[in-house]
Amino acid sequence: MFFPLLEALLQKNREICKLRINEHKLSGGDPVSIYKSLLTYASQHALSDHANMNAVIFSDCLVNLLQASRDKNAGNWDEKLIEYGIDYFCTIPIEPIDTTPLKPSRKEAKVASIADLEESFDQNDINVVMESVRDLLTLMDNKRYFMEITFRIALKKNPHCLILASAISRAIEIMGWQNNFTPFLIYHLIVRLHNEKTTFSFSKRDTETTNVFEQCLGKVRSIGDLLFLAASFRTYHESKILAAQLLPMIRMRLNEYFGSKRDADHVIENKQSTMDSIVRDSCFLDLSSVKGIEALRSKNPFAV
């Protein structure tokens, strides 16, 4: 199915985008198709664009708030939220995605392990990585297992990688694994993970800290800190199959990331952009069950 909003986004026509959303709203259409259009478009954000915030991460935050707003306001849309999102999406460069390398093929698929996939990321050939991903997705019944494998890989890289993996995991929950556009998201994630060459080494010793998220709250100083904490929190609680491996990795990663930061006891009164506000509020929503989140919220805006 090709969504009308997605077509308008690809044309980068703001007015038609807003018209399509209004038509959809007036017809009583399911808002999920709007979310799917935004996420599909975001997955085509040009990999070479480092000037703008990753569109998948931003669209995840935007959709998160749109869903919460509809639930709170008896199904009414937050017009300002979605209009800002449309304006942003129409400015970013996009590029076509060829997901053919991910197309399932039981005839060609080889039995692959977690180690095989992780080792493929150490090579400089993205085609080798795509083959490993294709084989895993073709042969495994539980696709959730695949996402947890990507969490494990992302945790060993730049914090931005876990933020992206967590955002894409939530996006796929909305898209569904059988959706024709879901491979766009997988492709986007795999290429980004492959392109990130920095690595983090985990020690064998993990001191379990039950309130690690509460401890980190006081050291959050920026939107980037907040994004990483929220993504870690979601990953921590969503991991089931590989929980025994992932939970200590998340604790160690958070302790390393925030360990060198001093408690943020004051805030520089910098004016935040609309995008920062959307990302911030989405993170606060994700972290709403963490003790101490209200104290952090009162420190808005963050020093950057």
Side-chain angles (χ1 to χ4, degrees):
M1 178 181 180
F2 198 76
F3 308 115
L5 174 58
L6 179 56
E7 183 176 13
L9 282 168
L10 291 170
Q11 296 172 358
K12 293 187 179 295
N13 191 313
R14 292 174 170 81
E15 296 308 314
I16 294 180
C17 286
K18 293 169 186 178
L19 176 63
R20 294 290 177 262
I21 291 172
N22 191 52
E23 290 173 345
H24 190 83
K25 179 178 67 173
L26 292 175
S27 69
D30 187 343
V32 173
S33 65
I34 297 295
Y35 306 153
K36 289 180 177 179
S37 295
L38 297 175
L39 295 166
T40 300
Y41 181 81
S43 69
Q44 299 172 75
H45 188 179
L47 296 170
S48 60
D49 179 24
H50 302 293
N52 294 296
M53 181 179 185
N54 182 281
V56 176
I57 294 174
F58 174 66
S59 61
D60 170 60
C61 293
L62 183 67
V63 169
N64 192 31
L65 290 185
L66 287 171
Q67 288 178 314
S69 175
R70 281 182 58 83
D71 291 342
K72 181 179 179 180
N73 299 310
N76 293 324
W77 294 82
D78 189 318
E79 301 290 349
K80 290 184 179 180
L81 266 180
I82 201 161
E83 286 189 7
Y84 177 83
I86 294 301
D87 288 341
Y88 170 70
F89 289 135
C90 287
T91 64
I92 61 172
I94 60 171
E95 58 189 12
I97 294 177
D98 179 13
T99 59
T100 303
L102 294 177
K103 187 176 181 180
S105 175
R106 289 193 173 274
K107 291 183 179 180
E108 299 180 13
K110 302 174 184 178
V111 176
S113 65
I114 297 177
D116 292 331
L117 180 58
E118 291 183 336
E119 289 175 5
S120 71
F121 277 92
D122 296 329
Q123 302 184 38
N124 291 323
D125 191 345
I126 187 63
N127 294 318
V128 173
V129 181
M130 289 297 175
E131 287 177 7
S132 296
V133 171
R134 180 204 65 195
D135 293 344
L136 277 174
L137 289 176
T138 299
L139 299 176
M140 64 173 44
D141 295 325
N142 189 340
K143 298 297 194 295
R144 181 65 198 174
Y145 186 20
F146 173 77
M147 290 311 305
E148 294 192 18
I149 293 173
T150 64
F151 292 159
R152 178 181 160 93
I153 294 169
L155 279 163
K156 297 178 180 179
K157 296 178 176 289
N158 186 291
H160 183 83
C161 290
L162 184 65
I163 296 170
L164 179 61
S166 179
I168 284 182
S169 177
R170 187 154 60 178
I172 291 176
E173 288 181 8
I174 293 173
M175 297 293 290
W177 278 99
Q178 301 305 315
N179 190 290
N180 291 333
F181 295 122
T182 295
F184 286 17
L185 289 164
I186 297 297
Y187 186 94
H188 185 95
L189 173 60
I190 296 305
V191 173
R192 291 279 185 175
L193 290 178
H194 176 262
N195 289 347
E196 178 55 62
K197 300 304 181 183
T198 59
T199 58
F200 174 79
S201 298
F202 289 89
S203 64
K204 294 182 179 179
R205 182 173 176 271
D206 168 42
T207 302
E208 183 171 350
T209 307
T210 55
N211 62 342
V212 62
F213 297 101
E214 295 172 25
Q215 291 181 348
C216 292
L217 280 179
K219 298 183 178 182
V220 169
R221 295 181 177 183
S222 69
I223 292 295
D225 291 350
L226 190 61
L227 265 171
F228 184 52
L229 187 62
S232 298
F233 184 77
R234 293 202 308 268
T235 304
Y236 191 94
H237 290 282
E238 291 174 3
S239 300
K240 306 298 180 184
I241 302 171
L242 297 179
Q245 299 177 31
L246 292 173
L247 303 193
M249 290 177 71
I250 293 169
R251 289 193 295 266
M252 283 187 279
R253 199 69 173 90
L254 286 173
N255 285 329
E256 181 274 340
Y257 181 86
F258 287 101
S260 61
K261 295 178 180 287
R262 304 177 69 178
D263 286 347
D265 55 358
H266 67 281
V267 176
I268 299 175
E269 295 295 327
N270 286 341
K271 184 178 180 181
Q272 284 187 331
S273 68
T274 300
M275 176 175 284
D276 283 347
S277 296
I278 290 172
V279 172
R280 175 207 63 201
D281 289 348
S282 175
C283 291
F284 280 143
L285 186 62
D286 290 336
L287 293 166
S288 60
S289 63
V290 179
K291 184 179 179 181
I293 192 65
E294 289 305 319
L296 178 60
R297 188 192 297 269
S298 68
K299 291 184 177 182
N300 167 66
F302 300 117
V304 293

